[in-house]
Amino acid sequence: MKIVMAHGSGGNATRELIRNLFQKYLSNAYLDKMEDSASLPKSEFSLALTTDTFVVTPLEFPGGDIGKLAVCGTVNDLWMVGAEPQYLTAGFILEEGLDLELLERIVKSLSLAAQEAGIYIVAGDTKVVQGNGGMYINTTGLGFKKFQQLTDGQTVQKNDAIIVSGNLGDHHACIMSQRMEIKNSIQSDCANLGPAVRALLEQGIRVRIMRDITRGGLGTVLNEIAEAKQVTMEIEEESIPVHSEVQSFCDILGLDPLYMANEGKFMCIVAKEDEEKALEILKNTKLGANARIIGHIIDTGRYLVTLKTRLGGRRIIDVLYSEGLPRIC
Amino acid sequence: MKIVMAHGSGGNATRELIRNLFQKYLSNAYLDKMEDSASLPKSEFSLALTTDTFVVTPLEFPGGDIGKLAVCGTVNDLWMVGAEPQYLTAGFILEEGLDLELLERIVKSLSLAAQEAGIYIVAGDTKVVQGNGGMYINTTGLGFKKFQQLTDGQTVQKNDAIIVSGNLGDHHACIMSQRMEIKNSIQSDCANLGPAVRALLEQGIRVRIMRDITRGGLGTVLNEIAEAKQVTMEIEEESIPVHSEVQSFCDILGLDPLYMANEGKFMCIVAKEDEEKALEILKNTKLGANARIIGHIIDTGRYLVTLKTRLGGRRIIDVLYSEGLPRIC
């Protein structure tokens, strides 16, 4: 069975698709009311709101699929501002010809990822467009800012440590391998960063800022922060964690892990005094075994990101300049 | 200038597009922080959350464009549950080849519609995919439920009146005319329903339920409510407001306004005692000149929607059965 234009009509075919597939996996007390908007209780916390659209191809890949990615990506954006994810909306654009069994696997995966992240899917929408059997998913997440560290005006200070939560480049190398039909065992790192972030915040680490390292890679993220905060960062090439198989993949293709996308990694800047404790906390989480302190804030008042190379030289790290990899998330 | 894949890379081209186009029109204190998630103050009201993806073609049409539609559609869904729109997210999927001037007009229109609706755009996302120069927009809206009528367990009762806020079928007939290149003066009714809904609620009308009449048309909306509430509705054909030019268009093409999509019309069920006052209030709003009482709840405990025809006969109104018009919203 395939998706046809009638599935987007708003009539009987749409109702059947929603009842037989979306409700089957996504049903909960909020969503089942099928109102124009979901009605949610008052919050005693301030709010965080974020949106992301996912257009990755292929739709399924080692380590994940567009459904899992659509939940993890948005949930992670909430955690990055110290907000606990509460409610999620999901907007599906289905291309005519999309295989219904594939769609079912993706919706099931999305549902499972939402359960694991502790977020309710409270509103949804489905549209059908002409195309070649692909699909896009927008998710928008609403979170409650239960952790005050990131809202109490923490400023980035000299000597603060820059920490990365694990190996870089996995998602990028995985998607690229799939497109190029290269056989290897590289898996996407697509994951919910919640447990790691919660551990840091609950144990009182003075986190100045956190960012998940997605499109544009670590190089771009560091530059964006350095520019916004007007600080000078120095990172050490030999401290940057990269899995050996991903490093080989990069060496062959001339890729730089600093500019490769991840979907289950974040960087954070923490107070110098907390750096060892923060690293230990991260290493004790499921996804943090390869966490590393990769550098420090060496000056304030001036925007610059430099890399100390393995050979002892220094080079300036700029934002991603060239195209990266299209449709990676 | 056209959109190219590099605009979706996450690197410099993406940053330039965001700075030179999106920020130019959408800038506000929330969005300008450019964090992973927007941080919003605590709300003293309960919340409403809704999402909608817009895939309409053509992107611009008489009476509106996909940008205006993307704001009005989501804002209206919030109003339908008695929530005042507060915050909006916008996720753009741009197809390679999209004309940058067209994109700029659309973003400008979206910005204007958001200002008029009193909603802040607090988070955004841009992706680029292969294609033919089209675009899709997802908007997700967060509202505060300031009006209690719709949350205090109002039940649909016998003799309640069914009111429609204006002429049916305009958006559908407009989009269809554009696609068929038929010359006429039919305009889309794409509009923010806020002022009309606010007037009803602030003046204390006992509104049982409201629904905007989009995909699937009035026939589908009435059936969904009648089924959910297990009531029998009878509506009168001669009471259903349709603009004469739209009616002629329908007569020629064999269309039924009952199943045609609108983007600036809603129906509400109000207490019998309030029906005349509600109608008067609506008629005094900008968009309500053609509001009509189109029928009543004639029984409870049984799900049925019947139409009393101009000739005095009765027929059963079912949900939209056939395809409708693809990509109408």
Side-chain angles (χ1 to χ4, degrees):
Chain A
M1 283 276 288
K2 305 279 184 188
I3 288 289
V4 296
M5 292 306 287
H7 284 119
S9 66
N12 265 329
T14 307
R15 285 154 57 104
E16 279 166 24
L17 180 69
I18 290 171
R19 284 180 186 174
N20 299 340
L21 200 155
F22 289 103
Q23 281 197 319
K24 180 174 168 190
Y25 293 104
L26 306 181
S27 173
N28 64 51
Y30 298 109
L31 195 64
D32 294 351
K33 286 195 182 165
M34 300 287 279
E35 288 184 290
D36 280 326
S37 299
S39 292
L40 310 172
K42 198 189 303 192
S43 160
E44 57 178 303
F45 301 97
S46 60
L47 306 171
L49 191 63
T50 187
T51 192
D52 212 340
T53 308
F54 298 85
V55 301
V56 66
T57 59
L59 298 173
E60 298 179 301
F61 45 81
D65 56 65
I66 192 172
K68 179 182 178 187
L69 187 62
V71 172
C72 293
T74 291
V75 158
N76 290 346
D77 279 341
L78 290 173
W79 278 112
M80 290 303 108
V81 300
E84 191 174 273
Q86 302 290 328
Y87 305 112
L88 194 74
T89 66
F92 295 86
I93 300 179
L94 312 178
E95 285 185 351
E96 201 173 19
L98 176 64
D99 185 75
L100 269 171
E101 286 182 13
L102 172 59
L103 177 61
E104 185 159 356
R105 286 198 301 277
I106 287 166
V107 173
K108 195 173 168 181
S109 167
L110 181 145
S111 168
L112 185 66
Q115 282 172 42
E116 287 178 356
I119 197 165
Y120 289 102
I121 297 167
V122 297
D125 179 60
T126 306
K127 293 292 187 322
V128 179
V129 299
Q130 297 87 346
N132 301 307
M135 69 181 290
Y136 310 125
I137 305 177
N138 174 283
T139 53
T140 300
L142 180 64
F144 293 168
K145 297 192 78 168
K146 296 187 176 176
F147 301 97
Q148 287 306 307
Q149 280 106 319
L150 290 157
T151 52
D152 284 351
Q154 293 267 353
T155 54
V156 178
Q157 294 171 26
K158 192 171 171 179
N159 298 323
D160 281 354
I162 304 166
I163 298 179
V164 161
S165 68
N167 292 334
L168 296 185
D170 296 9
H171 181 71
H172 198 121
C174 167
I175 296 299
M176 210 159 171
S177 300
Q178 294 298 306
R179 299 239 191 104
M180 298 171 76
E181 296 181 17
I182 296 173
K183 286 205 165 37
N184 57 34
S185 62
I186 298 173
Q187 295 220 330
S188 167
D189 58 337
C190 175
N192 163 26
L193 294 169
V197 174
R198 185 193 289 280
L200 286 179
L201 296 176
E202 283 188 346
Q203 292 180 57
I205 298 296
R206 280 161 288 180
V207 177
R208 312 298 197 194
I209 194 166
M210 287 189 284
R211 287 284 300 276
D212 53 343
I213 310 166
T214 54
R215 270 191 303 182
L218 180 65
T220 303
V221 168
L222 292 179
N223 268 277
E224 286 175 356
I225 295 173
E227 186 179 5
K229 306 292 178 187
Q230 289 293 307
V231 294
T232 301
M233 300 174 173
E234 184 165 89
I235 61 173
E236 291 178 21
E237 189 174 23
E238 64 176 6
S239 302
I240 296 170
V242 183
H243 188 281
S244 58
E245 193 173 6
V246 172
Q247 187 61 60
S248 303
F249 182 85
C250 292
D251 290 344
I252 292 166
L253 293 169
L255 297 169
D256 185 346
L258 271 183
Y259 295 104
M260 290 165 73
N262 310 271
E263 288 296 343
K265 299 291 151 47
F266 70 107
M267 61 75 64
C268 55
I269 298 178
V270 306
K272 173 76 183 168
E273 302 75 38
D274 292 350
E275 67 177 12
E276 290 303 330
K277 186 178 170 195
L279 190 64
E280 194 193 318
I281 290 169
L282 278 178
K283 282 186 173 292
N284 281 324
T285 63
K286 194 178 151 198
L287 301 171
N290 300 304
R292 296 286 291 271
I293 296 167
I294 60 160
H296 291 86
I297 306 298
I298 59 167
D299 205 358
T300 57
R302 180 171 170 237
Y303 154 41
L304 187 67
V305 183
T306 60
L307 178 82
K308 215 165 103 185
T309 66
R310 282 192 182 82
L311 301 174
R314 277 187 175 77
R315 65 182 173 94
I316 292 175
I317 301 295
D318 203 347
V319 300
L320 176 66
Y321 181 76
S322 62
E323 189 181 336
L325 187 61
R327 302 190 63 175
I328 194 164
C329 59
Chain B
M1 282 276 289
K2 306 278 184 190
I3 288 290
V4 295
M5 292 306 286
H7 284 120
S9 66
N12 265 330
T14 307
R15 285 153 57 104
E16 278 166 25
L17 179 69
I18 290 171
R19 284 181 187 174
N20 299 340
L21 201 155
F22 289 104
Q23 280 197 321
K24 180 175 168 189
Y25 292 104
L26 305 180
S27 172
N28 64 52
Y30 298 109
L31 195 64
D32 293 350
K33 286 195 181 165
M34 301 286 279
E35 288 183 291
D36 281 326
S37 299
S39 293
L40 311 171
K42 198 190 303 191
S43 159
E44 57 177 304
F45 301 98
S46 61
L47 306 171
L49 191 63
T50 187
T51 192
D52 211 339
T53 308
F54 298 85
V55 301
V56 67
T57 58
L59 297 173
E60 299 180 300
F61 45 82
D65 56 65
I66 192 171
K68 181 182 177 187
L69 187 60
V71 172
C72 293
T74 291
V75 158
N76 290 346
D77 279 340
L78 291 173
W79 278 112
M80 290 304 109
V81 301
E84 190 174 274
Q86 302 290 329
Y87 305 112
L88 194 74
T89 66
F92 295 85
I93 299 178
L94 312 178
E95 285 185 350
E96 201 175 16
L98 176 65
D99 185 74
L100 268 171
E101 285 182 15
L102 172 58
L103 177 61
E104 184 159 0
R105 286 198 301 277
I106 287 167
V107 172
K108 194 173 169 181
S109 168
L110 182 145
S111 168
L112 185 66
Q115 281 170 43
E116 287 178 357
I119 197 165
Y120 289 102
I121 296 166
V122 297
D125 178 61
T126 307
K127 293 291 187 323
V128 179
V129 300
Q130 297 88 347
N132 302 306
M135 68 181 289
Y136 310 126
I137 305 176
N138 174 282
T139 53
T140 300
L142 180 63
F144 293 167
K145 297 192 79 167
K146 295 186 177 175
F147 301 97
Q148 287 305 307
Q149 281 105 319
L150 290 158
T151 51
D152 284 350
Q154 292 265 354
T155 54
V156 178
Q157 294 172 26
K158 192 171 173 179
N159 297 323
D160 281 355
I162 304 166
I163 299 179
V164 161
S165 68
N167 292 333
L168 296 185
D170 295 8
H171 181 71
H172 198 121
C174 167
I175 296 298
M176 209 159 172
S177 300
Q178 294 298 308
R179 298 238 192 106
M180 298 171 76
E181 296 181 18
I182 296 173
K183 286 206 165 37
N184 57 35
S185 62
I186 298 173
Q187 293 220 331
S188 167
D189 58 337
C190 176
N192 164 26
L193 294 168
V197 174
R198 185 193 289 278
L200 286 178
L201 295 176
E202 285 188 346
Q203 291 180 61
I205 298 297
R206 280 162 290 182
V207 177
R208 312 297 196 195
I209 196 166
M210 286 190 284
R211 287 283 300 275
D212 53 342
I213 311 166
T214 54
R215 272 191 301 182
L218 180 65
T220 302
V221 168
L222 292 179
N223 268 277
E224 287 175 355
I225 295 173
E227 186 179 6
K229 306 291 178 188
Q230 289 293 306
V231 294
T232 301
M233 300 175 173
E234 184 165 271
I235 60 172
E236 290 178 21
E237 189 174 23
E238 65 175 4
S239 301
I240 296 170
V242 182
H243 188 281
S244 58
E245 194 173 5
V246 172
Q247 188 62 60
S248 304
F249 183 84
C250 292
D251 291 343
I252 293 167
L253 292 170
L255 297 169
D256 185 346
L258 271 183
Y259 295 104
M260 290 165 72
N262 310 272
E263 289 295 343
K265 298 292 150 47
F266 70 108
M267 60 76 64
C268 56
I269 299 178
V270 307
K272 173 76 182 166
E273 303 76 38
D274 291 350
E275 66 177 12
E276 289 303 331
K277 186 178 170 194
L279 189 64
E280 195 193 318
I281 291 169
L282 279 178
K283 282 185 173 293
N284 281 325
T285 64
K286 193 178 152 198
L287 302 171
N290 300 305
R292 297 285 291 271
I293 298 167
I294 61 159
H296 291 86
I297 307 298
I298 58 168
D299 205 358
T300 57
R302 180 172 170 238
Y303 154 41
L304 187 67
V305 182
T306 60
L307 178 82
K308 215 166 103 186
T309 67
R310 281 191 183 81
L311 301 172
R314 276 187 176 76
R315 65 180 173 96
I316 291 173
I317 300 295
D318 202 348
V319 300
L320 176 66
Y321 180 78
S322 62
E323 189 181 335
L325 187 61
R327 302 190 63 175
I328 194 165
C329 59

